[in-house]
Amino acid sequence: MTKAAGAARQGTAPRNYPKGERRRAQIIEAAFTAFGQVGYRNASMVQLAAACGVSRAGLLHHFPTKESLLEAVLEQRERQDDAHFFRTGAADRDGLEYFASMIRLVAHNQANPVIVSLFAVLSSEATAADHPARPYFVARYERARGQMQSAIHDLSARGLLRPHVDPSTLAADLISLIDGLQVQWLLSPETIDMPRHLRNVLRTVIGVEVP
Amino acid sequence: MTKAAGAARQGTAPRNYPKGERRRAQIIEAAFTAFGQVGYRNASMVQLAAACGVSRAGLLHHFPTKESLLEAVLEQRERQDDAHFFRTGAADRDGLEYFASMIRLVAHNQANPVIVSLFAVLSSEATAADHPARPYFVARYERARGQMQSAIHDLSARGLLRPHVDPSTLAADLISLIDGLQVQWLLSPETIDMPRHLRNVLRTVIGVEVP
């Protein structure tokens, strides 16, 4: 049941959610393109509004700040990545499938420097105590560590984990590896092959080859 | 021989390098404090000039852009870190001493979130093709990988490296780990202990305990 349908059933006037949601999606799409083309810092809310055919006030109604818009862009990207790379749901139950999906996602990122750069910049900026995206990134990393720990626990239960590996420590380490490789790859793409590095490190902690 | 002395010996009028260098150092010091207090993005060149008692033109003479000033701040920080943590020179020859110094540096960073955050933000920002600090960070990471590779080669030559470890791959991986841990630590300082993570990973690749 959509929110609009819910409101109608409760006898209140149905608000025009679908139109608002379409407009919101349209703004996110335009911002995605703009951030990719001119960078987050250089993108202007005025130009973004013009590109979507909305007034500046209309844009600010949906996204009061440029940070909140970028956050929406990142959240959508994350949902798309999840849907695409972890689509079967098998990654939730099968640690090997989880890491196979992770290698595919990292290989996909290696074809998208603009997105990788945006994520790297914003996650670092967001470490500032007063940054509006800080709660989002705190939650995002907690979730990422939790999901990876579950995958590692599954491998451990199946006897596929090398001895003396602590799942919680390893999850933070592997996420750090992936994040850190992105910066080196963006700066020296000819030197760093991210999926190769990840696969190589996984060989040292997992007893079988990740498919 | 200083540049000024060199100019004098060549019979040209000695330029007033010492005064210019003092002024430059003073600006870097003020910028360091300002970036730490209000953040790089919010620091204003006008306020920085006022804090140093120079005109805006005087500031721009030394640092034409805020980025170039930040680069100077980071370079000085790097020199200070090198002098402090790799001071004996033993780290250049002794791989174990190198990694012991690295753990000390990471522990020191863990007491300095502002600096860690600045480095993380700027290294990510600098991945943009047109960013003024990009060449600095490309060179910085190349140098860091090279130094770490030398340390790993030394361990390998002394039979202290675990089998099947490739020095060049490991150097990029460990630098990625250190960089990536910084972001997670900044976001969740109670969850991540950076020197503990680094020491733990080093145990998996080095056959003896790093002092």
Side-chain angles (χ1 to χ4, degrees), chain A residues 100-120:
Chain A
S101 299
M102 189 56 76
I103 293 173
R104 286 199 299 273
L105 175 57
V106 169
H108 173 78
N109 284 344
Q110 191 153 293
N112 292 277
V114 167
I115 297 305
V116 174
S117 185
L118 269 181
F119 258 93

Side-chain angles (χ1 to χ4, degrees), chain A:
Chain A
M1 186 169 69
T2 65
K3 283 183 187 170
R9 279 167 59 113
Q10 286 157 37
T12 58
R15 287 172 60 192
N16 202 353
Y17 276 103
K19 189 184 168 203
E21 281 172 14
R22 273 203 306 277
R23 177 53 50 86
R24 198 183 139 87
Q26 193 186 0
I27 294 170
I28 291 175
E29 184 67 30
F32 190 89
T33 306
F35 291 162
Q37 281 174 348
V38 304
Y40 169 67
R41 282 171 298 150
N42 293 318
S44 127
M45 291 292 265
V46 172
Q47 287 169 351
L48 268 171
C52 307
V54 296
S55 66
R56 189 162 171 279
L59 176 60
L60 294 180
H61 167 71
H62 289 284
F63 300 101
T65 62
K66 199 162 72 160
E67 284 90 351
S68 65
L69 179 51
L70 180 50
E71 200 174 317
V73 167
L74 295 177
E75 271 174 356
Q76 169 160 308
R77 179 80 203 178
E78 198 181 354
R79 270 200 306 276
Q80 285 173 346
D81 281 351
D82 279 356
H84 190 67
F85 291 97
F86 299 89
R87 61 183 175 281
T88 63
D92 290 342
R93 300 179 302 272
D94 180 334
L96 270 187
E97 181 53 37
Y98 172 89
F99 282 110
S101 299
M102 189 56 76
I103 293 173
R104 286 199 299 273
L105 175 57
V106 169
H108 173 78
N109 284 344
Q110 191 153 293
N112 292 277
V114 167
I115 297 305
V116 174
S117 185
L118 269 181
F119 258 93
V121 171
L122 198 73
S123 62
S124 302
E125 274 187 10
T127 61
D130 60 347
H131 197 286
R134 182 179 169 99
Y136 168 74
F137 276 101
V138 170
R140 179 183 154 85
Y141 277 103
E142 276 175 10
R143 197 166 58 244
R145 283 191 297 264
Q147 287 166 346
M148 198 178 278
Q149 271 181 50
S150 299
I152 298 168
H153 275 297
D154 173 64
L155 294 174
S156 175
R158 292 156 64 189
L160 298 178
L161 204 62
R162 303 242 187 238
H164 312 300
V165 174
D166 172 58
S168 136
T169 305
L170 180 60
D173 289 347
L174 289 175
I175 292 166
S176 296
L177 173 78
I178 293 168
D179 281 358
L181 282 173
Q182 291 183 340
V183 173
Q184 289 185 68
W185 167 70
L186 287 163
L187 290 169
S188 297
E190 71 296 340
T191 304
I192 303 290
D193 182 326
M194 297 191 289
R196 191 184 70 78
H197 276 264
L198 176 57
R199 186 176 282 284
N200 190 58
V201 167
L202 289 176
R203 279 197 193 104
T204 67
V205 286
I206 302 177
V208 295
E209 184 76 8
V210 175

